[in-house]
Amino acid sequence: MVWGAVIFFKYRTMTDAEVNKAKNEWEDFKKGLPKGVKIIAEYDHAHGTDWNGFLLVEARSMDAFQEFWEAFRDITRWYVDRTQAVIGVKR
């Protein structure tokens, strides 16, 4: 079974230095994803919404996704104001 998630996110207003810090932390985070989790794609903008973008994530188990989600929220909490995840099971 493969779990899929579309994760929408909204950034808070940041300085140029904070933007650079966030980018560096994000790149480091992606290098250490939990086993069984893949970020399929990263999208800037979610046209027709007020979200700044969204991710497509796949996980081999809900436990792996939960591990990813907890780490994702911990690393992005200081610069992402809100998120919304839509989760499903791949056919």
Side-chain angles (χ1 to χ4, degrees):
M1 181 180 310
V2 176
W3 293 84
V6 179
I7 302 170
F8 295 94
F9 54 85
K10 178 105 174 131
Y11 296 123
R12 73 171 184 80
T13 302
M14 293 183 278
T15 65
D16 288 342
E18 289 172 324
V19 168
N20 288 330
K21 179 183 177 189
K23 284 180 182 178
N24 291 334
E25 286 181 4
W26 179 247
E27 292 304 316
D28 287 344
F29 172 75
K30 290 189 301 183
K31 293 174 187 172
L33 293 176
K35 185 177 180 178
V37 175
K38 292 190 296 186
I39 296 176
I40 304 301
E42 301 174 55
Y43 294 88
D44 289 333
H45 311 295
H47 296 284
T49 75
D50 67 342
W51 298 106
N52 293 119
F54 59 98
L55 305 172
L56 298 179
V57 177
E58 283 190 348
R60 290 287 175 192
S61 69
M62 182 48 84
D63 288 343
F65 179 78
Q66 291 289 44
E67 184 180 345
F68 162 82
W69 183 254
E70 184 176 320
F72 169 76
R73 290 303 294 142
D74 284 348
I75 195 75
T76 63
R77 192 171 312 281
W78 71 268
Y79 66 89
V80 172
D81 271 342
R82 65 187 172 103
T83 60
Q84 181 175 346
V86 179
I87 302 170
V89 177
K90 191 173 189 175
R91 289 183 189 213

